Amino acid sequence: MGAHFSAATFDFLDELEHRNEREWFQEHKAIYEVEVKERMLAVIESLNRAMGDFAGDYIRPPNKAMLRIYRDVRFSHDKTPYKTHLAASWPRQGLEKAGGAGLFLQVGVHGVLVAGGAYSPQPPQLRAIRDYVLEHHLKLRSLLAAPALAQLAEPFGGNKLTRPPRSFPIDHPAGDLLLNRSWAVFSHLPGDKALDDNFTDLVIERFRAIQPVVDFLNIPLATATPLEQEAAVGRRRSA
């Protein structure tokens, strides 16, 4: 039997949507620890073991891969303190703070999201990807057309540009790819799949299909300006 979630997990998350307040959460903290957090950590551990076959450079300790359920409300109009889904991310080792591409899992009552790539790269990372795609667009197209990926996931989407980015050629064969702002690939599953014994098998099947695209993106991203270095430069300029 593989690691998966329980009806109690979804009962907690469903109720949290309606009682998203600290008092309720503290009253049900014991359920969260056992049926939510412990189960998520077990799922991550199971995924880590399977990823050793094809994504060893992305394995992370479960407690680091799992994202906090607490929302950052400092700059948000929505002041509810908790997320109503669970999530984990696996950036490539060494690129965690540099905006590297990685794998991602989100689990909620309303659906499961399995993804990989660079969802919202910062300007240096976005430029590095586009420069690389100019010379290697045929390779990227072949990865996106792979039957396993085409059957299980959606290609790059999101808020695309309507014309090629500045300083890039207008009529380049990679022109349609250069319109992408987001470089992530997504696969969706019904939420109740997270309750099945084979849940981690379903996730790994998708991670395995997505991984070649993630590896492709990390070639240029490994040479891009690290995000903390970019932030430091910005602070010096504004000082």
Side-chain angles (χ1 to χ4, degrees):
M1 181 181 295
H4 60 93
F5 296 94
S6 68
T9 309
F10 275 18
D11 286 344
F12 179 93
L13 295 175
D14 185 53
E15 186 66 17
L16 184 59
E17 288 191 12
H18 303 93
R19 299 290 302 276
N20 199 327
E21 53 197 33
R22 291 181 175 84
E23 182 178 359
W24 181 90
F25 190 91
Q26 290 303 317
E27 290 174 356
H28 296 81
K29 188 73 175 290
I31 297 175
Y32 167 76
E33 292 290 342
V34 174
E35 296 294 342
V36 181
K37 184 176 180 179
E38 284 189 14
R39 285 184 176 272
M40 184 62 168
L41 293 174
V43 165
I44 295 169
E45 181 61 38
S46 179
L47 295 173
N48 279 346
R49 288 195 296 270
M51 286 165 58
D53 291 340
F54 64 93
D57 290 338
Y58 296 79
I59 294 173
R60 304 182 81 192
N63 64 323
K64 290 187 177 295
M66 182 176 177
L67 303 184
R68 289 163 52 88
I69 197 169
Y70 307 99
R71 295 183 62 249
D72 184 352
V73 300
R74 291 174 299 173
F75 308 107
S76 174
H77 293 296
D78 179 2
K79 298 301 181 181
T80 52
Y82 306 104
K83 303 169 188 173
T84 57
H85 59 262
L86 306 173
S89 67
W90 292 262
R92 180 165 183 154
Q93 295 169 13
L95 296 180
E96 297 92 341
K97 297 181 179 180
L103 298 166
F104 179 78
L105 172 66
Q106 180 175 300
V107 178
V109 175
H110 305 294
V112 172
L113 172 65
V114 183
Y119 175 69
S120 185
Q122 295 298 308
Q125 284 69 33
L126 182 56
R127 176 74 196 214
I129 292 172
R130 285 172 171 162
D131 285 343
Y132 189 71
V133 168
L134 278 176
E135 302 298 326
H136 300 89
H137 61 96
L138 293 179
K139 174 63 175 177
L140 179 56
R141 292 187 195 281
S142 70
L143 294 176
L144 293 173
L149 182 62
Q151 292 170 11
L152 294 172
E154 303 168 7
F156 306 131
N159 184 24
K160 294 188 178 186
L161 297 173
T162 57
R163 62 185 65 185
R166 291 181 182 178
S167 77
F168 285 89
I170 296 176
D171 56 355
H172 194 278
D176 59 320
L177 292 170
L178 298 178
L179 299 178
N180 289 303
R181 289 171 170 162
S182 175
W183 296 80
V185 179
F186 298 93
S187 180
H188 298 274
L189 290 166
D192 58 9
K193 290 294 184 182
L195 309 180
D196 292 349
D197 292 346
N198 69 337
F199 174 60
T200 55
D201 293 335
L202 296 175
V203 176
I204 285 297
E205 181 183 24
R206 285 154 179 79
F207 275 0
R208 192 183 294 274
I210 292 169
Q211 184 60 33
V213 175
V214 178
D215 283 339
F216 174 93
L217 294 171
N218 273 327
I219 296 173
L221 289 174
T223 66
T225 305
L227 295 180
E228 70 254 16
Q229 181 179 339
E230 178 193 2
V233 171
R235 288 193 294 271
R236 288 196 296 269
R237 288 176 176 171
S238 62

